[in-house]
Amino acid sequence: MSLSPPDPRPAPPHADASRELLARLTRPDDDDEYAAADRGGPSSRVGLATATAALAVLLTVAAVQTQAAQPQDERDREVLLERLAREKTEVAVLGARAESTAAEVEELRASTLEATETVQALQAQLDTQGATVGSAPVRGPGVRVVVDDSDDGAPEGTITDSDLQQLVNGLWKAGAEAIAVNGQRLTTLSAIRTAGQAITVNYRSLTPPYTVAAIGDPETLPARLLETAAGQMFSDLSINFGVQFEVEAASELGLPAGSRLELDVATASTKGGDGA
Amino acid sequence: MIAVLGLLVGVLLGLFLEPSVPLALQPYLPIAVVAALDATFGALRALLDGIFDDRVFVISFVSNVLVAALIVYLGDQLGVGSQLSTGVVVVLGIRIFSNVAAIRRKLLHA
């Protein structure tokens, strides 16, 4: 600061403000209190003593304070170091816990996957059994057999419940895997019987003509049906009494799920019965 | 003579009473010290120039310390306490440097 000589020239009015400030700061003569003071006033010895005492107190207190703060700083540092070490151990512990938790999660995920596979297998099994029992809708190729009363309404030419039973039995024998009569799926609880004037299946009255849809091998099913007693019987009825009897292969049949499949008395059992 | 006496009394007071600075006044202590040093060096220079006046010294000492503390207090209230402290220290530091430079010129003629 002392290197820059004082600038005696007055600063130009539009001089850079910050430069002017710097110039003022480095020119102590400009704001020298003593040079500008009105000397000759009453001098106060008490004031001087007080001021110097205050100065001394200030400096001493500052020194003492700084001295006293040193051990405190040291202690603070130690406390901080201790806390750092503690936090580090905690971080390590938490890290280990995170690792074990991740392993646990992995394990649970694997077991969940396993359970999902089991559920899927069970579902597949259920679907297969539902299709067999009749509680699930099924699709597939098969035959459609349409039978109807004869046109003249003679009693010999009227289809009875036992005729339909024979036809259904014949279809089962011929290799059918699922059968529905007029849209009523035959289940393990289905009965074909006469109630009043009509034939009922699953407690639903049917009206002629009766369409018996059976899923099975469409190439062998019609021929094997005709070889059964039921097939023979319906051929005879058709020839002798004018009963309508048509068998046609279908490449795609859809059978609905059967109704009324609730069991009231029977419960599932894993033990095989002796049938008695 | 009276000044040296005051100095001695002040040092002894500070040492034996060990006044603890309240926490609220802690940030003003260094500023007050720097302001006091500024006044002291100004007085020393005036002494060498032969224009020392104890009245001016007392007034400049008290007002320097008070104004510096006031500026820092104001800064604290406005939330720029540390910046204003820096500003005060810079200004007073420059003044101390230039006073010391004048004293050096006077004493060593260099």
Side-chain angles (χ1 to χ4, degrees):
Chain A
M1 248 140 279
S2 56
L3 294 177
S4 57
D7 187 3
R9 287 169 301 161
H14 52 273
D16 190 16
S18 55
R19 256 176 54 197
E20 195 183 344
L21 177 68
L22 275 178
R24 275 183 64 83
L25 282 172
T26 52
R27 264 201 321 266
D29 305 299
D30 280 8
D31 53 352
D32 187 353
E33 302 118 321
Y34 296 94
D38 169 26
R39 256 172 296 142
S43 81
S44 157
R45 301 179 66 79
V46 179
L48 182 61
T50 315
T52 47
L55 172 66
V57 167
L58 257 182
L59 292 178
T60 314
V61 165
V64 167
Q65 197 91 68
T66 313
Q67 208 70 28
Q70 221 161 2
Q72 181 63 40
D73 286 351
E74 196 67 24
R75 266 205 302 283
D76 285 354
R77 217 173 75 90
E78 266 167 33
V79 167
L80 281 177
L81 280 175
E82 197 179 310
R83 211 167 84 191
L84 185 68
R86 215 167 44 230
E87 301 282 334
K88 265 184 185 165
T89 12
E90 200 170 330
V91 164
V93 166
L94 285 177
R97 210 166 82 191
E99 237 166 72
S100 75
T101 309
E104 206 174 318
V105 164
E106 196 52 49
E107 208 171 295
L108 285 175
R109 185 177 296 159
S111 75
T112 306
L113 205 64
E114 210 171 297
T116 309
E117 278 168 8
T118 311
V119 165
Q120 277 172 348
L122 284 174
Q123 189 64 49
Q125 200 177 339
L126 195 64
D127 286 347
T128 312
Q129 290 186 350
T132 310
V133 171
S135 62
V138 287
R139 300 193 68 79
V143 294
R144 198 181 280 116
V145 182
V146 181
V147 292
D148 199 355
D149 300 340
S150 63
D151 292 334
D152 55 9
E156 294 87 350
T158 305
I159 308 291
T160 63
D161 53 351
S162 70
D163 293 335
L164 265 187
Q165 285 169 11
Q166 293 225 30
L167 176 60
V168 167
N169 282 344
L171 281 168
W172 288 131
K173 197 178 172 187
E177 293 169 1
I179 299 177
V181 182
N182 279 19
Q184 288 298 320
R185 178 79 178 276
L186 296 183
T187 69
T188 47
L189 297 179
S190 294
I192 300 173
R193 60 193 185 86
T194 302
Q197 292 295 312
I199 299 173
T200 68
V201 174
N202 293 349
Y203 305 101
R204 296 285 177 85
S205 297
L206 306 182
T207 53
Y210 308 104
T211 304
V212 183
I215 290 181
D217 188 345
E219 290 183 6
T220 59
L221 202 51
R224 289 180 63 183
L225 173 66
L226 292 178
E227 284 170 11
T228 62
Q232 292 295 324
M233 187 191 79
F234 270 95
S235 294
D236 288 349
L237 285 174
S238 171
I239 291 165
N240 296 327
F241 301 106
V243 167
Q244 190 191 336
F245 176 56
E246 285 170 11
V247 179
E248 55 169 354
S251 58
E252 183 73 10
L253 284 173
L255 305 191
S259 54
R260 296 173 183 273
L261 274 167
E262 295 85 13
L263 297 176
D264 286 334
V265 180
T267 52
S269 166
T270 50
K271 280 183 282 187
D274 54 6
Chain B
M1 190 58 215
I2 187 94
V4 174
L5 210 67
L7 210 61
L8 267 177
V9 168
V11 169
L12 290 180
L13 271 179
L15 277 180
F16 287 105
L17 292 185
E18 273 189 43
S20 59
V21 182
L23 207 64
L25 293 181
Q26 250 357 328
Y28 304 107
L29 186 61
I31 297 296
V33 167
V34 173
L37 279 179
D38 172 49
T40 310
F41 281 113
L44 207 57
R45 173 162 165 257
L47 199 65
L48 287 176
D49 282 342
I51 55 171
F52 178 75
D53 183 281
D54 50 5
R55 200 172 54 89
V56 175
F57 169 67
V58 170
I59 291 174
S60 79
F61 173 78
V62 172
S63 75
N64 259 7
V65 170
L66 284 185
V67 167
L70 190 73
I71 288 177
V72 175
Y73 171 76
L74 205 66
D76 267 345
Q77 299 306 306
L78 293 174
V80 289
S82 59
Q83 288 94 323
L84 270 186
S85 299
T86 310
V88 168
V89 168
V90 166
V91 169
L92 292 180
I94 289 173
R95 275 169 58 111
I96 290 171
F97 260 102
S98 55
N99 275 331
V100 169
I103 293 168
R104 187 198 63 207
R105 275 197 293 274
K106 197 69 73 183
L107 284 180
L108 304 175
H109 304 287

